[in-house]
Amino acid sequence: MLRFEKYVRPETPREAYELLQENRLATVIGGMMWLRLADRTVPLGIDLSRCGLDTIEETDDAWRIGAMVTLGQLERHERFAASTCGIFTEAVRDVVGTQFRNLATVGGSVWARMGFSDVVTAFLALDAEVELEGAGVMPIIPFTERGARNDLLTHVIVRKHRYQAAFASVRNAATDFSSLNAAAACWQGSWHVTVGARPKKATLLTGGERIPLRRDFSPAELDAVCELAEGLDYGSDLRGTAEWRRQVAPALIRRAVAAAAAKPCAEKEA
Ligand SMILES: Cc1cc2nc3c(=O)[nH]c(=O)nc-3n(C[C@H](O)[C@H](O)[C@H](O)COP(=O)(O)OP(=O)(O)OC[C@H]3O[C@@H](n4cnc5c(N)ncnc54)[C@H](O)[C@@H]3O)c2cc1C
């Protein structure tokens, strides 16, 4: 069981951040769905539920998603879904069940950067950034690779584009963790393809600083990306072997790209 010697509910992200700086052994509490599985005693629990981080804001060029927004809240947000071709809804629809998704948060999912995460795989394919109370705004890719220490994730920002986007995963059983997942999003003329649950954390394969895959790719160009996917670093666990993942990844990527390409481009103003 997880025990807190002291439990606080600060009113602002700044107050929460300062408490975290003063108490290096403190634990930030999001939806608590992962944390509750721990068996330890923590000197201080900092609950973010009163920090005003539970809203989804829309501006002319971006979505600003509060860390305490639940997976269910974002999944059911019709304008966000229309603006991102429903990729997030596709990514979380098999995450446990509705009640669970009404508690697990976007912030907890992105902060934890779990290898099996469907949420991280989907966000990585979009033009996304994370906003940290201490370190400020940074692109989601370096954050996913390296994380941040003793900070507080306050928002995930998704820039608006005329996306075509889709998510695909393989699960041994419905609602189990993904054995392998992939997402594909086309924006600013190029495809951003991610592969996750390798079981290492998700990585971007094309787009950004990786090799480009242009919007109107040739079959040979997609073949080259699939070959690259075979070369990723895979591991074995009880959900699949490294060799199985290596063989399935190209098919999953083709599936995600084909599904995304078949969708109409999202309107920037959904
Ligand atoms: C049984 C089970 C099945 C799951 N299946 C899936 C699945 O199939 N696909 C999938 O994508 N995910 C899955 N998840 C993960 C889940 O969706 C959430 O990502 C996870 O529970 C963390 O979110 P939370 O809000 O519960 O965070 P918490 O449990 O509250 O926190 C998780 C970690 O993040 C830290 N933290 C939380 N919020 C912040 C913040 N704003 N700033 C800084 N640190 C923070 C906490 O200190 C803790 O270390 C599963 C989880 C469980 C328990």
Side-chain angles (χ1 to χ4, degrees):
M1 192 164 92
L2 181 65
R3 291 181 186 79
F4 298 106
E5 285 172 356
K6 199 174 163 207
Y7 167 85
V8 289
R9 281 205 284 177
E11 303 276 334
T12 63
R14 181 44 53 174
E15 201 188 320
Y17 177 76
E18 280 164 7
L19 282 164
L20 189 60
Q21 301 315 302
E22 288 160 17
N23 302 272
R24 292 281 163 148
L25 297 176
T27 291
V28 174
I29 303 172
M32 197 69 204
M33 301 310 282
W34 189 259
L35 274 178
R36 78 195 156 92
L37 304 178
D39 183 16
R40 60 192 159 99
T41 300
V42 175
L44 176 66
I46 305 174
D47 184 340
L48 301 182
S49 61
R50 281 194 185 155
C51 288
L53 295 174
D54 57 352
T55 57
I56 302 164
E57 298 160 50
E58 181 177 8
T59 65
D60 284 349
D61 61 355
W63 293 94
R64 192 160 172 264
I65 303 155
M68 291 299 282
V69 166
T70 67
L71 303 186
Q73 225 180 312
L74 193 56
E75 162 190 20
R76 291 187 296 271
H77 197 289
E78 287 180 10
R79 286 205 319 282
F80 177 75
S83 167
T84 50
C85 296
I87 188 174
F88 188 80
T89 309
E90 292 171 3
V92 301
R93 72 161 58 113
D94 290 319
V95 177
V96 189
T98 306
Q99 293 92 333
F100 180 94
R101 299 198 298 275
N102 284 343
L103 291 168
T105 63
V106 169
S109 302
V110 173
W111 177 269
R113 306 178 297 129
M114 291 159 189
F116 59 77
S117 180
D118 301 300
V119 174
V120 172
T121 299
F123 276 133
L124 269 188
L126 302 175
D127 187 4
E129 293 165 325
V130 293
E131 194 174 324
L132 304 167
E133 183 61 28
V137 176
M138 68 189 285
I140 197 166
I141 294 168
F143 175 80
T144 303
E145 286 167 355
R146 295 189 284 279
R149 284 174 67 83
N150 265 352
D151 211 325
L152 203 72
L153 192 151
T154 60
H155 297 88
V156 174
I157 298 165
V158 176
R159 303 270 162 215
K160 287 184 182 171
H161 292 287
R162 300 207 63 219
Y163 287 113
Q164 283 179 295
F167 175 89
S169 70
V170 184
R171 286 176 150 81
N172 292 335
T175 76
D176 190 9
F177 294 134
S178 287
S179 307
L180 191 69
N181 60 32
C186 190
W187 44 277
Q188 287 188 329
S190 89
W191 285 93
H192 296 71
V193 174
T194 55
V195 183
R198 301 179 290 127
K200 296 163 194 196
K201 52 180 167 285
T203 189
L204 185 73
L205 194 62
T206 71
E209 290 173 1
R210 310 293 203 273
I211 65 146
L213 179 64
R214 60 197 174 90
R215 174 182 291 279
D216 299 314
F217 56 81
S218 67
E221 285 167 335
L222 184 58
D223 289 347
V225 168
C226 289
E227 253 176 58
L228 207 63
E230 288 174 28
L232 285 175
D233 190 13
Y234 296 98
S236 300
D237 64 4
L238 58 87
R239 291 186 175 75
T241 62
E243 201 37 47
W244 174 84
R245 289 184 161 101
R246 195 178 310 287
Q247 289 187 22
V248 172
L252 208 56
I253 288 170
R254 287 181 196 279
R255 199 180 288 176
V257 171
K263 294 181 185 179
C265 290
E267 293 298 325
K268 263 187 94 172
E269 286 309 317

